[in-house]
Amino acid sequence: MALVAMDGTIVATAVPQIVGDLGGFSVFSWLFSGYLLAVTVTLPVYGKLADTHGRKPVLIGGMALFLVGSLLCAAAWNMAALIAFRVVQGLGGGAIQGTVQTLAADLYPLKERPRIQARLSTVWATSAVAGPAVGGLLAAYTDWRWIFLINLPVGALAVWLCARRLHEPARPDGPRPRVDWAGALAVFACGGLLLTALVQGGVAWPWLSAPSLALFGGSAVLAVVTVYVERRAAEPILPGWVWRRRTIAAVNLAMGALGLLMVAPMVFVPTYAQSALGLDPIAAGLVMSVMTLSWPITAALSQHVYRRIGFRNTAALGVALAALILSSFLLLPHPAEPWQPALIMLLLGGALGLFQLPLMVGVQSTVGWAERGTTTASVLFCRQVGQSVGAALFGAVANATIAARLAGAPVPGLPADLDGAAQALTRPDALPADAAAYLRDSVAVAVEHVHLGAAAAAVAALLILLLVAPRRFPVLPELRQE
């Protein structure tokens, strides 16, 4: 899990060195977008492969592909090659991310899963803190290519341990179902076009431009093709029962809302800390990353809650608290003290630990071995799509807020557009004092609006749980007795 957990943060810190060496500043965002696209659209495919061929070969194959992609990234000769090789990394990362979560449910009984999931959350938390530091050290004192080469010894050890020590439960005898490769290709193409439209819309081109309309139109057509192909397939990649079962459908929708609301703290709080509070990048990252300290703790303790009130009610409690905590961002003064948003992030992590883990453990406990990979992949897929939608939606909200305040600014000396504002925020001393203060205040207001939208997403998740999810998850009898 550490391979994919640290990947995004460790690469982000080395972007200036990468661009300085390879060029391609106008397209460097695809280092992250390309990876995200590959991970997201392959999750359902790997989930089905894990159900038909077993978890171990899918996991080891994914790790091997991730390591090949890492080696190719280290050898990249220009930005286009590096982006292509990041996509290869993402193709392997999708297998790792989904299969590890599935194995956690396969290998451990229900009463032990909170402890195991909390350990996996701790890996993510540690990576969020260590990734920027490791990436910064490697970029500053070695060559940026080492941020990819460092994956090789870690990944080789992981492959060796899985090959030697991972023993899956015996699968039922009988012929293995055929893989729906036509459905896999349709899902990949449809998801790729949709996520490209969401990631690049409003950034590389306007939302109502020809590229955006073509991508959204193409994804709609491919969605119809996907449904047609999947209905005719004997073993579809995205089977209809994923959405016909209330529990799985509710968890998918709620986790999509989680992915959407997580954009607010992960993307906009570091920007707020640097632009509005004047913190350096490391301190700004720490303001956000304190959320990862409380998340694993409440995740590990959540079992004591859901054993008393059930999976649904525990998750509903967590997301209701998250909605209140996200709304409290509007109460921060201008300018705030750094400890104030950090406290909000600490509380938010605790609330989301109560929300996310009971849903994952609960939904995995309602299906048997042959459906667990597909179920887990569908949950992670919805969360990733929610994250992409959130990045597009909240980016538009923030830009609209700042643009409106620039248009009606009561002080002179401000930039005329968003590009000028972004450049001015990196050099606030170049502006008059009143203009710099107004611009910082505008960023704070924009981030408040984003967190208000995130609170609305949390309320939507709460309504989904209360109105769609059953009061008691239908846990399989054999799992209930573990």
Side-chain angles (χ1 to χ4, degrees):
M1 182 64 84
L3 284 172
V4 294
M6 192 178 290
D7 182 79
T9 55
I10 197 173
V11 173
T13 54
V15 164
Q17 288 78 13
I18 294 174
V19 173
D21 187 16
L22 300 181
F25 179 80
S26 61
V27 295
F28 84 87
S29 63
W30 272 98
L31 292 176
F32 308 97
S33 300
Y35 180 87
L36 174 66
L37 289 173
V39 169
T40 304
V41 300
T42 55
L43 277 169
V45 179
Y46 285 126
K48 191 64 179 181
L49 289 175
D51 282 344
T52 56
H53 294 277
R55 327 302 193 206
K56 185 173 179 176
V58 172
L59 179 59
I60 292 178
M63 285 191 288
L65 188 56
F66 185 91
L67 295 179
V68 169
S70 298
L71 184 60
L72 291 173
C73 285
W77 53 90
N78 58 32
M79 184 61 75
L82 183 58
I83 291 171
F85 298 148
R86 283 283 289 167
V87 172
V88 175
Q89 264 193 316
L91 295 176
I96 299 172
Q97 190 168 325
T99 310
V100 166
Q101 294 285 355
T102 304
L103 278 167
D106 286 344
L107 300 177
Y108 298 94
L110 184 57
K111 62 183 179 181
E112 291 186 27
R113 283 184 209 160
R115 177 174 57 86
I116 300 304
Q117 290 284 0
R119 288 185 179 182
L120 293 177
S121 298
T122 301
V123 171
W124 282 95
T126 304
S127 301
V129 177
V134 174
L137 288 173
L138 291 175
Y141 296 104
T142 62
D143 188 89
W144 62 265
R145 299 176 191 274
W146 281 98
I147 68 174
F148 299 107
L149 292 175
I150 198 174
N151 290 332
L152 301 182
V154 178
L157 176 61
V159 169
W160 181 79
L161 286 172
C162 287
R164 292 288 301 274
R165 300 294 185 181
L166 175 57
H167 304 290
E168 292 190 76
R171 301 195 299 274
D173 294 330
R176 293 180 181 176
R178 297 176 59 186
V179 177
D180 175 25
W181 293 113
L185 180 61
V187 169
F188 191 92
C190 177
L193 286 185
L194 176 61
L195 291 176
T196 301
L198 292 172
V199 169
Q200 294 299 105
V203 178
W205 46 69
W207 283 110
L208 297 179
S209 65
S212 280
L213 296 177
L215 287 169
F216 280 118
S219 61
V221 172
L222 285 174
V224 175
V225 173
T226 301
V227 172
Y228 175 77
V229 171
E230 294 296 81
R231 283 185 172 180
R232 294 172 60 88
E235 292 289 338
I237 292 292
L238 285 175
W241 54 261
V242 168
W243 295 105
R244 287 194 296 268
R245 299 181 191 178
R246 285 180 58 195
T247 304
I248 301 176
V251 172
N252 282 343
L253 293 173
M255 292 293 276
L258 173 63
L260 193 151
L261 71 87
M262 283 296 295
V263 172
M266 292 180 65
V267 175
F268 289 94
V269 166
T271 301
Y272 164 81
Q274 291 184 69
S275 302
L277 305 185
L279 301 180
D280 60 64
I282 295 177
L286 290 176
V287 169
M288 182 275 293
S289 64
V290 294
M291 177 177 65
T292 63
L293 302 178
S294 54
W295 189 316
I297 295 174
T298 54
L301 297 176
S302 65
Q303 60 177 317
H304 303 293
V305 182
Y306 67 63
R307 285 177 180 172
R308 291 178 177 272
I309 65 175
F311 293 114
R312 187 199 73 165
N313 291 341
T314 303
L317 173 64
V319 79
L321 291 173
L324 294 175
I325 294 166
L326 288 164
S327 300
S328 69
F329 213 95
L330 279 69
L331 304 178
L332 291 179
H334 295 175
E337 295 294 328
W339 67 266
Q340 293 171 320
L343 177 61
I344 291 177
M345 293 300 100
L346 187 69
L347 296 174
L348 181 62
L352 294 179
L354 281 178
F355 171 56
Q356 185 261 349
L357 186 134
L359 291 183
M360 180 62 76
V361 173
V363 75
Q364 288 179 331
S365 302
T366 66
V367 294
W369 188 97
E371 297 177 339
R372 192 170 292 143
T374 299
T375 300
T376 303
S378 72
V379 172
L380 297 175
F381 175 77
C382 288
R383 176 173 173 172
Q384 292 284 95
V385 171
Q387 187 175 339
S388 299
V389 173
L393 176 62
F394 292 148
V397 169
N399 288 340
T401 301
I402 295 175
R405 287 181 62 86
L406 289 177
V411 296
L414 284 165
D417 54 25
L418 291 174
D419 289 338
Q423 294 177 2
L425 288 170
T426 63
R427 295 180 286 107
D429 296 339
L431 295 177
D434 290 345
Y438 184 83
L439 187 57
R440 287 193 297 269
D441 188 67
S442 298
V443 173
V445 172
V447 175
E448 287 177 359
H449 290 175
V450 167
H451 278 76
L452 186 61
V459 172
L462 176 63
L463 293 176
I464 289 167
L465 291 176
L466 296 179
L467 300 178
V468 180
R471 190 174 65 87
R472 292 286 178 183
F473 280 21
V475 177
L476 298 180
E478 61 269 24
L479 298 179
R480 194 181 299 117
Q481 297 170 3
E482 289 180 344

